[in-house]
């Protein structure tokens, strides 16, 4: 996995205790499906796991990302 992906996973693990239940669900999905997530938009991920795109944006901010979940 490239540097960005490693940073993303590290950010998720380090912030796990601060996540809401929806954010925790997203974190688990990202950890379990990194290759799939890297190919999906925020809207596609939100629909797939039944959360709002705003939840994903807040999640990204909590792990110090701008809102882009790309791991390529």
């Amino acid at each position: 996995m490239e540097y960005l992906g490693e940073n993303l996973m590290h950010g998720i693990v380090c912030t796990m205790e601060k996540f809401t239940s929806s954010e925790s669900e997203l974190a688990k999905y990202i950890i379990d499906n990194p290759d799939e997530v890297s190919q999906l938009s925020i809207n596609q991920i939100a629909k797939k796991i039944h959360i709002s795109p705003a939840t994903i944006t807040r999640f990204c901010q909590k792990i110090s990302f701008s809102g882009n979940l790309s791991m390529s």
Side-chain angles (χ1 to χ4, degrees):
M1 190 177 293
E2 292 184 19
Y3 184 70
L4 179 59
E6 291 173 12
N7 280 343
L8 175 62
M9 294 301 183
H10 179 74
I12 291 170
V13 171
C14 290
T15 314
M16 201 65 99
E17 71 281 349
K18 297 179 183 178
F19 294 147
T20 64
S21 60
S22 293
E23 292 166 346
S24 293
E25 184 179 342
L26 173 59
K28 182 177 179 346
Y29 185 77
I30 293 169
I31 290 168
D32 292 346
N33 304 285
D35 293 330
E36 181 181 350
V37 168
S38 70
Q39 302 299 313
L40 299 174
S41 69
I42 287 176
N43 286 329
Q44 290 170 320
I45 295 167
K47 286 180 184 178
K48 198 164 194 74
I49 60 174
H50 310 290
I51 63 174
S52 73
T55 297
I56 298 175
T57 300
R58 286 189 300 272
F59 172 90
C60 292
Q61 291 168 343
K62 279 187 182 178
I63 61 171
S64 300
F65 273 68
S66 64
N68 180 359
L69 291 180
S70 176
M71 295 189 301
S72 54

